[in-house]
Amino acid sequence: MLEISNLHVKLEEEDKQILKGVDLKIGAGEVHAIMGPNGSGKSTLSYVLSGRDGYEVTEGSAELQGADVLDMEPEERAAAGLFLAFQYPVEIPGVGNMTFLRTAVNAQRKARGEEEMSSTEFLKVIRARAKDLKIDAEMLKRPVNVGFSGGEKKRNEILQMAMLEPKMCILDETDSGLDVDAMKLVADGVNALRSEGRSFLVITHYQRLLDHIKPDVVHIMADGRIVKTGGPELALEVENNGYADIMAEVG
Amino acid sequence: MALPQQKTDLTEARIAALALPEVAGWSEPARKDALARLRATGLPHRRDEYWRYTRPESLTSPEAEKAAIFDAEEAPLFDGQAQLKIVFVDGVFDAEASDDLELAGIEIERLETAAQSDIHWARGLYGSLETAGQTPVARPLATLNTAYASDGVLIRATGKADRPVSLIYQHRDETADAMLHHVVRIEEGAALTLLENGPGAARFNTVMEVEVADNAAFHHIRIQGRDHERRAATHAFARLGTESVFKSFTLTVNGVMTRNECVIELTGDDAQAHVAGAAVGDGDFHHDDTVFITHDALNCESRQVFKKVLRNGATGVFQGKILVKADAQKTDGYQISQALLLDDDSQFLAKPELEIYADDVACSHGSTTGAIDETALFYLRSRGVPLAEAQDLMVLSFLAEALEEIDDKEIAADLTTRLAAWLARRRS
Ligand SMILES: Nc1ncnc2c1ncn2[C@@H]1O[C@H](COP(=O)(O)OP(=O)(O)O)[C@@H](O)[C@H]1O
Ligand SMILES: [Mg+2]
């Protein structure tokens, strides 16, 4: 699904190297987790993959189903099936959540040469998906993320993911700032979307989320590199001993 | 003080091209008075402080510059809305296109015909709010209008109108130079919504005097037409009684020269005055909102919310003032003016002013100039919304705060939809 090779990224404006050779291969239907200390480059990786300005790829590649994503506009990456649940979802006053989502769904369909979703169909689908995430009708009408609590914003990200039905979902600290119930909702939302044709990259600090979303593979990122890869037990190790041991081990 | 020769010449040249109506009826004294006042002040000159950011030449020249007729190729705005239509083509009343001027609880007449009757409610009002609005800052284009307006509508509401009165201004002659003067009086406890739509002429000078009596409400929603080359100087003068409401919203899209002046005096306690505007323009677009709100009573609220989206060298101007007199305690005054610049060539010139003589008031004002938020833009694009559409959404997002000032949510939603279509069209 996603294949990242030797990815080097620096800031565009500064001479600061952030990713220093990331290698990552995620197969179809797999769930991978990335853990790592603050500042290790996890968000940067997610932004570079989704096409945010301000970063410069100096070396390496990233392919989504064989297509070079680094060469695409952010909207093209989305239409190609890439989705990023933001660590800090953005507030957009004056644009209704529903309007925003419909614009996005139909823009992607159009880009893929598919027929647009009718408003009745859209309403039906969004109501059902929103209900699963305990997002009420009022929240759908409100401007995008404006006045939403931290948990509501994160659930809204998962709703967008559910509506856009991406193939490669990247979740950047979707669990941070959530209480146990909200995290369960988010995890259930993610689990409901798991399928053979859909892969996940879950960035998190905590093992907690991984109790709910069971990853196939866990990576540890430090200083712009994946320094260790293992099974779910690696997350437990981090939870119990912190990063220090691993860092010492990998030098 | 003698007027500089230059101003006298400018003023005389302009009025030489005009004539007072042959039979002005009761409006004659007000017109003659206005003419005398105009000769004393002179038309605005670019060195006038109040015209620092907007060059008045094209509004004061003897003849209007040509403006190409713009075919909107769309259903007229407010089309689905129940309304009483009054149509002016290049400033000339079009009886055939207009509805009968009959609406329960509302008296509607044309200035041209009503001025012939001996007794008329508008007799003492015509020109009086305009005159009052000349201090502390002169507004000579409004005075010119009081003297020379060819027609206008006189509306007196004694009850609550069941549908809006809708003034539709069409532009057909490329050089049409029109001047209309409306007088509105909302009697105690009455309510009216007035819609205005359309460019009106190549050059359009309007005055609207609005007296809102105690417990009365006046809502005003205006769209100034999408014509690129039109020029307009509009003036609203309002006086508000106790517990009355005045709310005005203007949407301006395109136009090489627009100066919208709004002068409001809150004279009764607990009154509310809201003025808002959303403007979108490109290139030689020049748009000026000049607002002066005077608080002269207890516990009144005023709001000014102005938003402009500027591109390709367009210019936006805001001159907004809140004056709180010594006895206007408990005033709640709010003013915000913001511009979204879509490139580095455009500019926003703002002069927000507060002048407060009462001690127990809450007044705030702010003015900002900014670009589209890159993070939000990326967020939208990451959901698959193409760049241009994402920019449009950000423009709508920016303007929303002004559109939210419209009380009628259906109209606000219609305008937003229309605006979205216009934005989409201008990038195709
Ligand atoms: N736009 C930026 N400007 C300046 N520094 C940045 C920017 N983006 C990332 N960084 C720096 O890059 C490093 C990695 O950040 P980030 O990817 O956010 O880490 P993580 O998500 O793992 O906490 C940090 O040192 C951070 O300060
Ligand atoms: Mg991060």
Side-chain angles (χ1 to χ4, degrees), chain A residues 73 75 84 93 108 157 160, chain B residues 379-381 383-384 387 397:
Chain A
E73 295 298 328
E75 54 268 35
L84 168 64
Q108 290 203 13
E157 293 291 288
Q160 293 171 32
Chain B
Y379 187 63
L380 292 170
R381 296 177 74 189
R383 276 18 178 180
L387 177 62
S397 163

Side-chain angles (χ1 to χ4, degrees), chain B residues 120-179:
Chain B
H120 200 278
W121 61 267
R123 191 171 181 157
L125 206 49
Y126 183 89
S128 73
L129 297 186
E130 176 265 301
T131 306
Q134 296 297 330
T135 42
V137 199
R139 304 165 198 282
L141 286 169
T143 314
L144 176 80
N145 179 300
T146 298
Y148 291 103
S150 60
D151 204 353
V153 181
L154 310 177
I155 304 173
R156 177 169 174 256
T158 52
K160 290 190 160 68
D162 68 358
R163 60 203 145 114
V165 171
S166 178
L167 304 180
I168 297 162
Y169 305 124
Q170 291 168 359
H171 175 210
R172 272 189 217 151
D173 174 352
E174 286 196 339
T175 56
D177 191 10
M179 242 189 264

Side-chain angles (χ1 to χ4, degrees), chain A residues 146-162:
Chain A
V146 177
F148 287 26
S149 70
E152 285 174 336
K153 283 182 182 167
K154 296 299 175 79
R155 275 186 278 149
N156 201 32
E157 293 291 288
I158 304 302
L159 174 67
Q160 293 171 32
M161 189 165 88

Side-chain angles (χ1 to χ4, degrees), chain A residues 11 16 18 37-44 55:
Chain A
L11 291 177
K16 183 172 174 182
I18 299 176
N38 265 331
S40 55
K42 305 182 298 295
S43 290
T44 301
Y55 303 100

Side-chain angles (χ1 to χ4, degrees), chain A residues 105-198:
Chain A
V105 167
N106 283 332
Q108 290 203 13
R109 289 185 167 223
K110 199 170 152 198
R112 290 194 291 257
E114 298 165 11
E115 218 171 293
E116 292 198 355
M117 208 180 207
S118 74
S119 24
T120 21
E121 170 78 0
F122 177 82
L123 268 179
K124 209 178 85 192
V125 178
I126 197 168
R127 283 205 182 115
R129 303 266 155 92
K131 193 162 164 244
D132 294 340
L133 288 158
K134 295 213 164 74
I135 289 174
D136 58 25
E138 202 258 335
M139 228 173 102
L140 289 178
K141 276 191 217 145
R142 280 196 340 230
V144 180
N145 293 324
V146 177
F148 287 26
S149 70
E152 285 174 336
K153 283 182 182 167
K154 296 299 175 79
R155 275 186 278 149
N156 201 32
E157 293 291 288
I158 304 302
L159 174 67
Q160 293 171 32
M161 189 165 88
M163 290 304 295
L164 294 167
E165 301 181 329
K167 295 183 192 127
M168 180 69 233
C169 309
I170 305 172
L171 283 74
D172 191 2
E173 294 203 29
T174 301
D175 53 336
S176 60
L178 295 190
D179 60 27
V180 178
D181 291 339
M183 182 153 79
K184 181 102 191 358
L185 272 176
V186 164
D188 289 347
V190 171
N191 288 330
L193 289 170
R194 287 179 74 157
S195 76
E196 273 175 31
R198 182 172 292 132

Side-chain angles (χ1 to χ4, degrees), chain A residues 47 50-52 73-75 78 83-84 86 90 92-95 100 103-104 107-108 145 157 160 164, chain B residues 373-376 378-389 393-394 396-398 400-401 404 416:
Chain A
Y47 286 145
S50 45
R52 185 174 185 157
E73 295 298 328
E75 54 268 35
F83 180 89
L84 168 64
F86 280 49
V90 182
I92 306 182
V95 176
F100 160 56
T103 308
Q108 290 203 13
N145 293 324
E157 293 291 288
Q160 293 171 32
L164 294 167
Chain B
D373 177 31
E374 286 298 326
T375 308
F378 171 62
Y379 187 63
L380 292 170
R381 296 177 74 189
S382 78
R383 276 18 178 180
V385 183
L387 177 62
E389 262 179 80
L393 277 177
M394 292 309 296
L396 290 173
S397 163
F398 171 77
E401 196 188 347
E404 275 160 20
T416 304

Side-chain angles (χ1 to χ4, degrees), chain B residues 4 6-7 10-11 41-61 140-141 257 259 286 288 319:
Chain B
Q6 205 177 25
K7 271 212 171 196
L10 171 78
T11 307
T41 16
L43 282 171
H45 186 272
R46 59 194 277 207
R47 275 194 292 276
D48 291 355
E49 180 60 26
Y50 218 42
W51 290 85
R52 221 176 128 164
Y53 306 120
T54 297
R55 296 183 61 151
E57 287 89 334
S58 66
L59 299 170
T60 57
S61 60
L141 286 169
M257 170 57 65
R259 165 97 160 194
H286 182 104
D288 175 337
Q319 306 188 96

